[in-house]
Amino acid sequence: MFGMGFLKHGKALLACAVIALSASSAMAEQGATLKTVKERGQLLCGAHPGRYGFAAPDAKGRWVGFEVDLCRAIAAAIFGDGEKVKFVALSSQQRFPAIQSGEVDVLPRNTTATLTRDTALGLNFSPPVFYTGLGFLVRKDAGVKSIEELNGAVICMAPGSTTEQSVARIFAQRNLKYTPIVIENNKELASAYVAGRCDALAKDRDALPGVRVYDAPNPDDHVILDGTYSKEPLALAVRHGDDQWYDIVKWVMYGLMEAEENGIGQANADTMLKSSDPYVRDMLGVTGDFGAKLGLDNKWLYSAVKSVGSYKDIYERHFGAGTPLPLPRGVNKPWTDGGLLYGLPIK
């Protein structure tokens, strides 16, 4: 009898050992990208050279914008310091070679997640962080009220973008004709429209208010046509081949969404460390080892939120009612408020 009991006890101990070993191996091994970023001492973020509200240097040369803050959140999660990031301005055609070659570690830059970019370009995408779609800016005195009235128009747009593809598709669907003027430089593109080289400017709809307010001499002379003509889920891209790095970028984005959903923001991050809610305590690294599973400090999300705030804080900072470019959140609200943002559980 003793022998059988010892055998059963031994099997139980062995099972516990296997479980413990499995749990240990679930902790993230430091991948090549994280190691490189840590050794360099800063994150390299591929940014739009000048899209108002999303990414642009301010008058003092400091980068500001919605996507800028997403990169600062990643830097804060890694270093505990959101300032340890360098922004690399990239044109629409430069952006993919830059992330593929390792010139940058992560690529926001108003990039739409698509099947071809995911596969043929060898990229992984974070969850969408901003939902927008194709829109058109036209001169008010042209009297254009709908896309059908742009039949035969000259349309300015950027090359190498989903905008080019979407314009071609929606005009073909409606049997409409147009002449494209494709300009790589973002500033020159806006200037070409303002100067009257084209009848309409095609861009992500949420980028058009910036052109109207900052590039046009008189914003009231220009209107954005009603309607959104494509799906453009903007997301952060990383290279294939480094799952740990993909996990970090992905979960920082989910974390910012979860912070909003759970009432955690930049202003109350310290107070929330004392929350009695076990989930909030796990999120902020008071308990649990979720940071270690990513290869980061367990306060990774606290550091990100303390540095730039929750998704809501970031959105309100750049597109809120008190900003020069107020944009209703629309579908960029949490799912609990009728939107599409859905942070996965940090468990």
Side-chain angles (χ1 to χ4, degrees):
M1 292 297 291
F2 176 81
M4 289 298 291
F6 179 80
L7 185 59
K8 289 179 180 176
H9 183 62
K11 287 181 178 178
L13 288 174
L14 179 60
C16 289
V18 170
I19 291 170
L21 183 60
S22 299
S24 175
S25 63
M27 297 297 181
E29 297 281 340
Q30 184 160 293
T33 308
L34 179 60
K35 183 173 184 291
T36 299
V37 170
K38 283 184 172 178
E39 289 176 351
R40 186 193 301 126
Q42 63 180 1
L43 174 74
L44 299 179
C45 173
H48 197 292
R51 176 158 288 186
Y52 307 110
F54 287 90
D58 65 12
K60 296 180 180 178
R62 175 179 167 77
W63 283 85
V64 294
F66 177 84
E67 292 183 338
V68 167
D69 280 350
L70 299 183
C71 281
R72 292 194 195 283
I74 297 169
I78 297 168
F79 296 109
D81 183 351
E83 296 302 312
K84 291 192 173 182
V85 52
K86 178 181 177 181
F87 295 94
V88 181
L90 300 170
S91 71
S92 59
Q93 292 188 317
Q94 290 171 330
R95 57 182 163 175
F96 297 124
I99 186 67
Q100 290 166 326
S101 68
E103 181 183 348
V104 296
D105 305 308
V106 62
L107 179 74
R109 207 221 166 274
N110 288 112
T111 300
T112 300
T114 70
L115 184 150
T116 299
R117 291 171 176 176
D118 197 335
T119 54
L121 295 189
L123 303 177
N124 283 325
F125 286 94
S126 75
V129 293
F130 198 101
Y131 293 93
T132 184
L134 176 63
F136 295 91
L137 185 67
V138 298
R139 275 174 285 281
K140 186 183 290 182
D141 60 11
V144 174
K145 302 294 184 187
S146 69
I147 190 171
E148 283 72 19
E149 294 177 64
L150 288 176
N151 189 24
V154 177
I155 300 179
C156 285
M157 64 193 82
S161 65
T162 51
T163 296
E164 240 184 321
Q165 301 166 8
S166 297
V167 170
R169 182 186 182 204
I170 62 172
F171 272 69
Q173 286 174 332
R174 292 164 173 78
N175 197 28
L176 303 174
K177 305 294 183 187
Y178 72 100
T179 301
I181 290 182
V182 179
I183 299 174
E184 171 74 4
N185 182 283
N186 191 60
K187 200 70 180 175
E188 292 175 3
L189 174 62
S191 297
Y193 163 74
V194 171
R197 287 182 60 194
C198 42
D199 303 303
L201 175 64
K203 271 181 175 287
D204 288 350
R205 183 176 177 81
D206 292 300
L208 293 174
V211 176
R212 182 173 172 271
V213 170
Y214 291 111
D215 293 310
N218 184 1
D220 291 338
D221 289 343
H222 304 268
V223 294
I224 300 171
L225 293 185
D226 289 339
T228 301
Y229 294 94
S230 69
K231 291 196 295 186
E232 308 291 343
L234 307 183
L236 282 65
V238 298
R239 291 177 293 281
H240 278 177
D242 189 338
D243 286 349
Q244 186 208 18
W245 184 244
Y246 178 38
D247 285 346
I248 289 171
V249 171
K250 178 173 60 180
W251 280 101
V252 170
M253 298 305 111
Y254 280 139
L256 298 176
M257 297 175 195
E258 280 290 276
E260 175 178 4
E261 196 175 321
N262 286 275
I264 307 167
Q266 189 174 30
N268 70 354
D270 289 325
T271 304
M272 294 299 276
L273 290 172
K274 301 172 185 174
S275 170
S276 59
D277 183 336
Y279 185 65
V280 169
R281 293 170 65 82
D282 278 353
M283 286 176 64
L284 298 180
V286 179
T287 52
D289 60 352
F290 298 100
K293 295 180 192 305
L294 292 168
L296 303 176
D297 185 89
N298 285 330
K299 284 197 162 48
W300 62 284
L301 183 54
Y302 164 79
S303 296
V305 174
K306 182 67 179 174
S307 177
V308 296
S310 67
Y311 184 97
K312 178 181 180 181
D313 292 330
I314 297 170
Y315 193 97
E316 292 297 322
R317 184 178 302 127
H318 302 292
F319 302 117
T323 67
L325 299 173
L327 293 176
R329 283 190 68 174
V331 294
N332 292 300
K333 293 178 183 174
W335 67 284
T336 49
D337 197 19
L340 296 177
L341 299 183
Y342 191 105
L344 300 191
I346 300 172
K347 293 182 178 178

